[in-house]
Amino acid sequence: MGLPIIPGRDGLSKAAVNETLSTATPHSARRSSKAFRIATSLFLSLVFTFCMIGRSWDPDEVMPFVDTDSLQSLLTEQALIEKGENLLGFAYDSPNRNRYLNSPGHNATLKYIRKTLHSLDYYDVQMLPVVYKYFTGSSLFQIDGEPMIHASAMRGSPQGHVTGSLVLVEDYGCEAGNYPSNMKGGIALIERGNCTFGTKSQLAHAAGAGAALIWSSTPGWWFGYLGEPEEGQSFVITLSVLMKDGVRLSEKLREGEDLFAAVVSNARYVTLETTNIVATTRMGDQDHVYQLGAHSDSVGRGPGINDDGSGTISLLEVATHLSKFQIKNAVRFSWWAAEEEGLIGSTFYVHSLSAEERAKIRLYLNFDMMASPNFVYAVYDGSGLAFGNAGPPGSDIAEVNLRSYFATKNIVAVATAFDGRSDYAGFFDAGIPSGGIDTGAEQLKTPLEEYMFGGQAGIPYDINYHGPGDTVDNCNKTAWLTNTRGIADSVARYAMSFKGLPERNMSHDKIITSGLSVTEALDQSRERYLQRIMA
């Protein structure tokens, strides 16, 4: 931030005043001109007068307070495109042409964000380490030459490759007597329920099985934990299997069909280490914080400019121009790492805060995918009226305020559900009012949405979602700028007042009531995220 300008005829800066005085002093010693002494005296009196009427040398005192029109007016489509091209360059300079977690492209993105923020001299910038040990890898099984079926290795399952007859285990497999005598060398098919997964795996191992497939009686992807084996006991390779596959295979075995199976799993523990960037204004009430975020990483299959380079750049542009204004409440910009791995960075951050620090966050808004080519303007359903899953108290007000912004642009925004697929999830669980904007991902655009926003019904909002075509050229620039100005509107609003938002009530903080450790919360977040993206 530059030095302030002294109001007056000359518009001289503080630096210019000092230079004038320093050069005037030696000349005044040599030149005793009465006129010169009078001029100097008058100049100093002018400076003194401005100080006395409240004109401080502090730069904060001469900047105007932020307002939405002024902040929005500083945002341009060209600036978004130029910064987007920078991110694309980082991706294309990376061996796999992406900004995947901890790749050269991602590291360059983080460096770029940090350098930009430091240059503003307006924020306290934190590079916050994220460390998470998790269980990952591919797991498959195949029945008698059928196509390979994806499954999920349970946390703690050994690796390996096993073949053998598929053997049905009755009564949930919680007793040694449930395992038939022909189990030795086979692969156990067990229904979920009545005892722990670890108990089932240990009993399958004791019966001589090489692997266990545990299927759920409810639809959808699911994950499990084996824990630690009891003393003297061991686990077999243990996979969680979809209900449809478990029911189908159980019926075949009960009908007397012989099935031969192969199971492969390379799942293992991996330690993830990365960095969140969190920048908080030095100005403003630090006990009342508006926090907003986007994620800094892409998937491995593409450069991720819409997802979520668009949100990354939108936040950076707004943060840049906010530095030209005064504010009353603290504003905290966040760039989350490892979103594509299961919302790891944001969840780690929220769960690492003390309850006291979480209570200071009056609102969190999330901005993921601002520029889908076949876009909709969507705001999160804070009220729950559209999808029945309301956000924490105050989320409805956040939704109304975002809709009010779009109304100023003659746009009627649609609602999008809190489905746990982006970085608001950890804040939502902490009882922090939540919301945000997105423009749609892989879902198909409806005819009504085509009428409302243009584009084409029947094709995805972003046909390049999680692919190599997610580039600057394929971003919708109109949507990108409109949404970035919506972010600016929210910043201008909450930087000045939280009017309408309720005071925080920590009884809504599920982090306190759940008692989960950070690692347990990360496991839960990752599994919930994977369930939803694989549904």
Side-chain angles (χ1 to χ4, degrees):
M1 189 188 308
L3 292 165
I5 301 299
I6 299 177
R9 295 173 300 174
D10 303 325
L12 292 175
S13 68
K14 180 182 178 183
V17 171
N18 289 338
E19 183 180 359
T20 301
L21 295 178
S22 65
T23 55
T25 303
H27 283 287
S28 64
R30 292 192 299 268
R31 295 172 56 191
S32 57
S33 165
K34 183 177 179 179
F36 183 82
R37 289 198 306 272
I38 292 172
T40 302
S41 176
L42 287 172
F43 181 79
L44 291 173
S45 297
L46 179 64
V47 172
F48 179 77
T49 300
F50 277 116
C51 290
M52 288 299 97
I53 65 173
R55 299 290 189 178
S56 168
W57 293 117
D58 186 342
D60 295 343
E61 293 299 318
V62 298
M63 294 189 297
F65 280 106
V66 69
D67 67 88
T68 186
D69 291 338
S70 297
L71 188 55
Q72 286 187 54
S73 70
L74 297 172
L75 301 166
T76 66
E77 182 179 303
Q78 188 57 37
L80 298 176
I81 293 171
E82 288 175 0
K83 289 179 171 59
E85 291 288 356
N86 287 337
L87 296 197
L88 188 65
F90 300 153
Y92 285 174
D93 287 343
S94 201
N96 294 313
R97 295 171 69 83
N98 61 33
R99 297 182 305 107
Y100 184 68
L101 181 69
N102 293 338
S103 68
H106 183 238
N107 292 337
T109 300
L110 296 180
K111 183 177 179 180
Y112 177 63
I113 296 169
R114 180 186 62 195
K115 181 179 179 181
T116 302
L117 292 169
H118 277 307
S119 72
L120 301 173
D121 194 28
Y122 187 83
Y123 299 94
D124 286 327
V125 181
Q126 295 175 288
M127 306 296 290
L128 300 176
V130 177
V131 180
Y132 170 45
K133 184 178 180 180
Y134 67 106
F135 200 68
T136 188
S138 62
S139 301
L140 305 163
F141 71 95
Q142 186 175 32
I143 306 296
D144 285 339
E146 292 181 1
M148 296 293 282
I149 299 172
H150 286 275
S152 175
M154 293 196 180
R155 188 180 178 109
S157 171
Q159 294 180 318
H161 176 199
V162 176
T163 58
S165 296
L166 190 65
V167 180
L168 182 65
V169 176
E170 299 287 1
D171 297 327
Y172 300 101
C174 295
E175 304 289 340
N178 299 145
Y179 293 78
S181 57
N182 64 338
M183 179 60 70
K184 189 172 181 63
I187 295 171
L189 181 64
I190 313 168
E191 186 176 358
R192 178 183 185 178
N194 286 17
C195 61
T196 67
F197 303 128
T199 296
K200 297 175 193 282
S201 187
Q202 285 180 168
L203 290 172
H205 181 271
L213 305 178
I214 301 177
W215 61 278
S216 176
S217 57
T218 56
W221 285 94
W222 64 284
F223 304 85
Y225 302 87
L226 296 182
E228 295 294 331
E230 297 172 6
E231 186 175 352
Q233 301 294 318
S234 298
F235 295 139
V236 293
I237 299 170
T238 307
L239 309 185
S240 60
V241 176
L242 290 173
M243 181 182 75
K244 64 183 180 66
D245 295 314
V247 169
R248 177 176 64 87
L249 296 174
S250 295
E251 288 176 351
K252 286 189 174 186
L253 291 173
R254 287 196 177 97
E255 291 168 358
E257 194 170 338
D258 292 328
L259 300 176
F260 190 80
V263 172
V264 180
S265 178
N266 69 356
R268 65 208 180 278
Y269 282 102
V270 172
T271 298
L272 179 155
E273 297 184 52
T274 186
T275 304
N276 290 326
I277 301 179
V278 174
T280 306
T281 56
R282 294 172 184 158
M283 198 185 304
D285 184 348
Q286 301 295 311
D287 290 331
H288 293 85
V289 179
Y290 167 42
Q291 187 155 5
L292 58 163
H295 68 87
S296 60
D297 60 319
S298 77
V299 295
R301 294 186 295 277
I305 302 305
N306 185 34
D307 184 19
D308 183 29
S310 61
T312 290
I313 293 304
S314 292
L315 261 63
L316 197 57
E317 271 296 280
V318 174
T320 296
H321 293 296
L322 180 64
S323 68
K324 300 164 184 171
F325 298 93
Q326 291 192 72
I327 56 176
K328 294 183 178 180
N329 297 314
V331 179
R332 183 173 296 157
F333 294 87
S334 318
W335 288 268
W336 310 119
E339 191 267 2
E340 300 289 4
E341 298 302 303
L343 318 181
I344 302 303
S346 55
T347 303
F348 186 92
Y349 171 82
V350 177
H351 283 259
S352 297
L353 293 176
S354 67
E356 181 182 12
E357 288 301 312
R358 290 197 298 274
K360 295 177 182 178
I361 303 171
R362 296 291 303 276
L363 174 68
Y364 175 79
L365 296 185
N366 196 67
F367 301 101
D368 189 354
M369 302 182 67
M370 298 293 97
S372 297
N374 195 31
F375 68 91
V376 293
Y377 291 115
V379 300
Y380 283 105
D381 181 27
S383 65
L385 294 175
F387 296 97
N389 184 28
S395 303
D396 54 342
I397 304 301
E399 178 188 358
V400 167
N401 288 339
L402 287 170
R403 288 184 178 280
S404 295
Y405 159 73
F406 282 113
T408 67
K409 309 297 183 185
N410 297 316
I411 295 168
V412 177
V414 296
T416 188
F418 282 119
D419 59 5
R421 284 182 57 173
S422 199
D423 286 308
Y424 58 78
F427 293 87
F428 188 105
D429 288 344
I432 296 168
S434 302
I437 298 171
D438 75 33
T439 53
E442 78 282 13
Q443 302 93 339
L444 303 183
K445 193 169 206 173
T446 67
L448 176 59
E449 290 166 342
E450 178 184 321
Y451 174 79
M452 294 174 69
F453 307 114
Q456 184 177 345
I459 67 171
Y461 302 121
D462 187 355
I463 200 167
N464 305 297
Y465 176 65
H466 283 186
D470 188 4
T471 63
V472 175
D473 286 345
N474 289 326
C475 286
N476 187 289
K477 314 307 187 301
T478 299
W480 195 355
L481 181 59
T482 300
N483 286 323
T484 304
R485 287 178 172 165
I487 296 170
D489 180 75
S490 74
V491 168
R493 179 188 301 274
Y494 300 118
M496 295 302 292
S497 172
F498 288 111
K499 182 180 178 181
L501 284 173
E503 292 292 333
R504 287 293 314 285
N505 183 342
M506 296 307 287
S507 66
H508 298 286
D509 191 335
K510 296 178 185 177
I511 295 176
I512 296 173
T513 57
S514 71
L516 293 177
S517 68
V518 174
T519 298
E520 289 170 334
L522 289 168
D523 288 342
Q524 188 179 88
S525 171
R526 184 168 183 273
E527 290 170 6
R528 182 171 59 184
Y529 174 79
L530 293 174
Q531 284 171 342
R532 289 186 169 111
I533 66 171
M534 292 188 294

